[in-house]
């Protein structure tokens, strides 16, 4: 499975980890916002950092960038200890943290000049060119001279991304980069992330847009109330979810019997016009007719048994959990923000 | 006339006070490197400061003080001697006194007000905009950013009294005659020499405001609400001046940062008496050291969560 996830020539896991945290914890008073997180972001990966609102994504990013001190635990970025080696690390990192922030009374270009001048390492001689290129890259060239005060939300978001791209970076940390963007903007960001990754950069994207993460990421981690509940290559994360069969038949009773003898636990789904729906989880075979000893039941074998048993099969499918199902399974159904 | 002399020096700043002249011990070459790499950031800081409408509004308001004074004097037939701010009665004979009067008038409230706004905004303003996190991630370096922010506030400390002096000299010259100036010591100097004295007074005020700026910088590291830091800075400047008026607290007076604020009368003598300038500079340096250290201690360990 690992072969399917390596997107870059530089590859994953060859030179170790671009970001590594160990037991990273942040307390605000008695609230634990980040709780013993061990992140491992492979070099060259596009890493999706998922989690519901308030699960500690931004707080983790702040600690990674040396904005906030960890209550306990360690962070290393680009192989160097943070925040001790901050001055060596940050020039190589572009970041968008919790939305863009700019001086409203300055133009977009002037804002970028200001933030670039703040960097000790950015070369003043090339500043104008680099600002122009960054604006070009996010499609803001025409609004470069406009005051940020008059920018729309999506324009500010684009400017924030441009700021992260002012210098060539080895790592990009993007906290919800597509927030407020129109469909074109979202697509552009996806393409941008892909092209950055193709150039060999590691991209760490936090998001709650699962579809987006599924489209661009090679790896992902899921946070829930400050804890890391899953991480790994995207394909493996999806694998970890259980596959289910879905059977459409008028002979529900018989089907239940057959499936039960295969060691599965059939559940009645909501009936449809042309028959009853029966679902069951694949791969828990332990019944009298269980096939392979390792507990997995091949779907085609199930259909054969059903037909043998006189079940009229009108529809049969194997459904894998989507990342969204997996996300909800790991982080809970409730809509209320967890404390 | 001598009764209206501002800033007779009743007390001297205790010379025995130590710790005011603390110097950092760092090797010179990296220090020079660091300073060089800070110049673009300082330039950017100043351009942000002086591209804000608020900064210009404050400087305009300061420039309006001498204009108001000059117009009021011009419109009234005569100013009774000994009433109103010191020097007011000399304006109609010599326009240069507009600048002196305006600087004197703006010391207690207007100058501290504008310095409070600029110094209180230094860190808290960036924090409330959210730009602080991007400056730090750039990375600006916390110490470097703090130093540049303070340097920016100091530039404003120079700009504010210079604005009052320039506006005063300009309006004075246009509404009143300019001629030889009689100093407080009774000596008469020619207008060019008098202009030098004006520059000296502006420099004296700039130095006077350095301590308040350091206090504002420190308060600014404590909050993400810039208005809070601004108001606290201004309130402290008023409190300091009130305490300086209470005879019961005489022992405290030489330690108050506003103690020498009105002491620039000595610059209008022949020869110039530098004592109050020196005492003031020493006192302000002490405040800069103490509050600079507090701001440093606070800012380098602060979690930037805005
Ligand atoms: N400055 C703060 N003081 C106290 N608690 C805070 C502070 N900032 C964040 N928290 C708490 O830390 C927890 C994690 O917040 P964080 O901003 O990291 O969440 P997030 O995963 O980024 O959420 P979102 O998806 O909404 O951006 C939340 O419960 C929040 O209430
Ligand atoms: Mg967040």
């Amino acid at each position: 499975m690992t072969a399917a996830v390596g997107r870059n020539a530089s590859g994953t896991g060859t030179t170790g980890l671009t970001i590594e945290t160990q037991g990273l914890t942040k307390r605000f008073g008695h609230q634990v916002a980040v709780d013993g997180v061990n992140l491992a972001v492979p070099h060259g990966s596009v890493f999706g950092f998922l989690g519901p609102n308030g699960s500690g994504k931004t707080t983790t990013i702040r600690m990674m960038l040396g904005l906030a001190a960890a209550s306990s635990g360690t962070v290393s970025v680009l192989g160097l200890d943070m925040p001790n080696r901050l001055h060596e690390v940050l020039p190589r990192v572009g970041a968008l943290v919790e939305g863009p922030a700019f001086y409203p009374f300055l133009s977009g270009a002037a804002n970028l000049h200001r933030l670039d001048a703040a960097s000790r390492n950015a070369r003043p001689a090339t500043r104008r060119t680099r600002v122009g290129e960054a604006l070009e890259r996010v499609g803001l060239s025409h609004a470069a001279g406009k005051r940020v005060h008059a920018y729309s939300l999506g324009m500010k978001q684009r400017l924030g991304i441009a700021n992260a791209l002012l210098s060539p970076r080895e790592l990009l940390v993007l906290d919800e980069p597509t927030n407020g963007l129109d469909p074109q903007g979202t697509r552009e960001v996806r393409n941008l992330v892909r092209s950055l990754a193709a150039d060999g950069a590691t991209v760490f994207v936090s998001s709650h847009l699962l579809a987006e993460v599924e489209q661009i990421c090679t790896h992902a981690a899921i946070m829930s109330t400050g804890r890391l509940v899953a991480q790994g290559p995207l394909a493996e994360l999806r694998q970890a979810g259980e596959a289910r069969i879905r059977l459409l038949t008028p002979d529900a009773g018989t089907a239940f019997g057959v499936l039960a003898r295969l060691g599965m636990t059939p559940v009645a789904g909501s009936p449809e016009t042309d028959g009853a729906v029966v679902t069951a989880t694949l791969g828990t075979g332990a019944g009298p007719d269980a096939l392979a000893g390792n507990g997995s039941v091949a779907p085609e074998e199930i259909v054969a048994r059903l037909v043998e048993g006189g079940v009229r099969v009108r529809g049969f499918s194997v459904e894998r959990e989507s990342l969204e199902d997996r996300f909800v399974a790991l982080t809970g159904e409730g809509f209320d923000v967890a404390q | 006339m001598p009764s209206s002399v501002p800033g007779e020096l009743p007390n001297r700043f205790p010379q025995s006070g130590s710790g005011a002249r603390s110097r950092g011990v760092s090797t010179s070459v990296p220090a020079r490197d660091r300073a060089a790499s800070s110049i673009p950031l300082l330039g950017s800081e100043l351009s942000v400061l002086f591209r804000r409408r608020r900064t210009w509004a404050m400087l305009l308001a300061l420039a309006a003080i001498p204009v108001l004074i000059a117009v009021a004097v011009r419109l009234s037939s005569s100013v009774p001697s000994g009433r109103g701010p010191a020097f007011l009665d000399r304006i109609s004979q010599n326009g240069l006194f507009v600048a002196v009067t305006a600087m004197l008038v703006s010391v207690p409230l207007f100058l501290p007000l504008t310095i409070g706004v600029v110094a209180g905004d230094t860190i808290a303003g960036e924090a409330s905009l959210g730009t602080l996190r991007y400056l730090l991630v750039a990375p600006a370096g916390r110490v470097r950013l703090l130093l540049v922010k303070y340097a920016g506030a100091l530039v404003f400390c120079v700009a504010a009294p210079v604005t009052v002096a320039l506006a005063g000299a300009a309006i004075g010259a246009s509404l009143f005659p300019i001629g030889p100036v009689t100093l407080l010591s009774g000596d008469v100097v020619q207008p060019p020499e008098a202009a030098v004295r004006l520059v000296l007074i502006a420099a004296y005020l700039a130095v006077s405001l350095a301590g308040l700026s350091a206090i504002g910088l420190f308060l600014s590291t404590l909050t993400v609400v810039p208005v809070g830091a601004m108001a606290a800075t201004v309130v402290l400047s008023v409190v300091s001046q009130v305490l300086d008026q209470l005879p019961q607290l005489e022992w405290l007076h030489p330690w108050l940062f506003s103690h020498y604020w009105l002491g620039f009368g000595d610059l209008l003598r022949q020869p110039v008496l530098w004592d109050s300038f020196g005492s003031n500079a020493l006192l302000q340096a002490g405040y800069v050291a103490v509050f600079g250290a507090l701001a440093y201690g606070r800012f380098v360990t602060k979690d930037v969560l805005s």
Side-chain angles (χ1 to χ4, degrees):
Chain A
M1 260 311 139
T2 40
V5 277
R7 186 194 293 280
N8 309 302
S10 54
T12 56
T14 51
T15 48
L17 303 170
T18 298
I19 304 173
E20 186 178 16
T21 73
Q22 259 155 15
L24 189 64
T25 301
K26 181 70 185 178
R27 285 185 208 89
F28 291 113
H30 53 81
Q31 187 199 352
V32 187
V34 175
D35 191 0
V37 165
N38 300 314
L39 265 179
V41 178
H43 177 72
S45 60
V46 178
F47 196 99
F49 194 41
L50 301 168
N53 291 133
S55 56
K57 302 184 297 294
T58 302
T59 308
T60 305
I61 289 175
R62 283 182 197 281
M63 289 188 283
M64 277 165 29
L65 298 175
L67 289 173
S71 306
S72 65
T74 58
V75 188
S76 93
V77 177
L78 297 169
L80 300 173
D81 202 32
M82 286 291 278
N84 298 334
R85 310 284 292 274
L86 185 140
H87 289 293
E88 291 156 77
V89 172
L90 289 183
R92 299 153 66 192
V93 179
L96 180 70
V97 189
E98 191 146 85
F102 293 104
Y103 305 90
F105 47 88
L106 295 183
S107 71
N111 266 289
L112 294 190
H113 275 273
R114 158 81 166 158
L115 292 175
D116 195 61
S119 168
R120 220 187 273 264
N121 306 56
R123 295 213 19 235
T126 57
R127 183 164 297 142
R128 185 171 293 278
T129 330
R130 286 182 292 111
V131 166
E133 282 167 3
L135 287 169
E136 179 87 50
R137 209 156 175 190
V138 298
L140 271 183
S141 298
H142 294 298
K146 199 172 183 172
R147 284 179 190 217
V148 168
H149 156 79
Y151 272 26
S152 71
L153 173 63
M155 288 163 81
K156 284 184 202 148
Q157 189 75 16
R158 285 165 188 248
L159 191 60
I161 296 171
N163 173 45
L165 301 175
L166 275 174
S167 304
R169 314 281 196 188
E170 288 164 55
L171 169 66
L172 282 139
V173 177
L174 304 174
D175 193 4
E176 296 176 30
T178 54
N179 186 23
L181 290 187
D182 51 23
Q184 290 91 329
T186 312
R187 258 177 69 146
E188 283 304 313
V189 167
R190 276 205 300 270
N191 292 337
L192 194 69
V193 168
R194 288 203 188 98
S195 78
L196 291 166
D199 292 346
T202 305
V203 188
F204 184 88
V205 201
S206 105
S207 179
H208 357 246
L209 300 178
L210 299 159
E212 192 175 287
V213 168
E214 287 196 278
Q215 284 184 52
I216 58 172
C217 292
T218 60
H219 292 68
I222 301 180
M223 293 280 288
S224 175
T225 59
R227 289 169 182 280
L228 194 63
V229 290
Q231 80 173 321
L234 200 62
E236 274 175 28
L237 274 182
R238 284 217 215 90
Q239 276 284 286
E242 287 163 327
R244 292 182 311 172
I245 59 146
R246 184 174 184 279
L247 172 67
L248 184 66
T249 173
D251 311 315
T254 329
F256 264 73
V258 173
L259 291 175
R261 258 179 284 123
L262 282 170
M264 305 172 81
T265 322
V267 181
S270 50
E272 289 182 11
T273 45
D274 46 354
V277 172
V278 178
T279 63
T281 325
L282 252 180
T284 50
D289 286 4
L291 305 164
N294 61 7
S296 66
V297 190
E300 62 274 19
E301 202 60 49
I302 298 173
V303 181
R305 293 294 172 102
L306 285 168
V307 176
E308 267 173 37
V311 177
R312 285 167 289 171
V313 178
R314 287 190 176 151
F316 184 88
S317 58
V318 178
E319 295 174 344
R320 206 164 274 299
E321 263 187 335
S322 68
L323 193 59
E324 181 169 335
D325 294 330
R326 182 89 181 116
F327 182 80
V328 171
L330 286 168
T331 60
E333 281 279 358
F335 173 69
D336 287 346
V337 171
Q339 272 307 299
Chain B
M1 203 59 67
S3 63
S4 66
V5 172
E8 286 291 349
L9 291 177
N11 296 299
R12 291 277 138 89
F13 181 70
Q15 300 293 322
S16 58
S18 64
R21 295 166 64 87
S22 70
R23 290 237 175 82
V25 273
S26 61
T27 48
S28 62
V29 175
R32 210 185 306 141
D33 267 8
R34 233 177 292 140
S37 76
S38 295
I39 287 170
L41 181 54
L42 181 59
S44 148
E45 175 64 28
L46 292 178
S47 98
V48 168
L49 179 62
F50 286 99
R51 259 195 267 182
R52 291 193 86 150
R53 255 186 241 149
R54 187 179 70 194
T55 307
W56 287 106
M58 290 193 300
L59 291 178
L60 273 180
L62 286 174
I65 294 169
V67 174
L68 281 178
I69 291 173
V71 170
V73 170
R74 180 81 188 152
L75 294 182
S76 62
S77 46
S78 70
V79 176
S81 176
R83 285 186 54 196
F87 310 115
L88 193 64
D89 49 357
R90 299 210 198 168
I91 288 175
S92 52
Q93 289 119 52
N94 194 331
L96 285 179
F97 276 101
V98 175
V100 181
T101 312
M103 283 196 270
L104 184 67
V105 165
S106 54
V107 164
L109 186 61
F110 298 111
L111 284 175
L113 200 67
T114 56
I115 300 309
V117 169
V118 170
D121 195 50
T122 45
I123 301 295
E126 301 281 357
S128 80
L129 282 177
T131 43
L132 183 57
R133 63 177 182 269
Y134 287 110
L135 290 173
L136 292 182
V137 165
R142 296 195 180 211
V143 179
R144 179 165 164 260
L145 183 63
L146 201 63
L147 287 174
V148 164
K149 281 288 177 185
Y150 186 64
L154 283 187
V155 169
F156 187 83
C157 286
V158 174
V162 164
T163 303
V164 178
L166 282 181
I171 190 80
S174 54
L175 293 187
F176 303 102
I178 297 283
V181 172
T182 311
L183 296 177
L184 297 177
S185 54
D187 303 78
V188 176
V189 296
Q190 293 306 307
E193 168 69 18
V196 171
R197 302 298 172 107
L198 282 186
V199 170
L200 283 181
I201 295 176
Y204 185 96
L205 293 185
V207 170
S208 297
L209 296 168
L212 183 62
S213 295
I215 293 173
L217 181 76
F218 168 60
L219 293 174
S220 193
T221 61
L222 299 180
T223 173
V224 295
V225 186
V227 178
M230 295 175 193
T233 311
V234 175
V235 165
L236 276 183
S237 82
V238 172
V239 167
S240 172
Q241 292 178 80
V242 169
L243 294 181
D244 208 17
Q245 299 295 315
L246 300 179
Q248 292 85 348
L249 296 176
E250 191 128 14
W251 56 271
L252 183 64
H253 292 173
W255 301 94
L256 293 169
F257 61 85
S258 63
H259 186 61
Y260 299 103
W261 277 6
L262 292 170
F264 56 78
D266 286 356
L267 301 175
L268 295 178
R269 297 180 198 282
Q270 187 78 317
V272 172
L273 275 180
W274 290 100
D275 299 34
S276 56
F277 199 111
S279 308
N280 186 31
L282 199 57
L283 177 67
Q284 300 300 331
Y287 270 90
V288 171
V290 170
F291 283 90
L294 286 173
Y296 167 85
R298 166 71 185 158
F299 189 57
V300 291
T301 57
K302 180 185 162 119
D303 276 356
V304 176
L305 299 170
S306 56

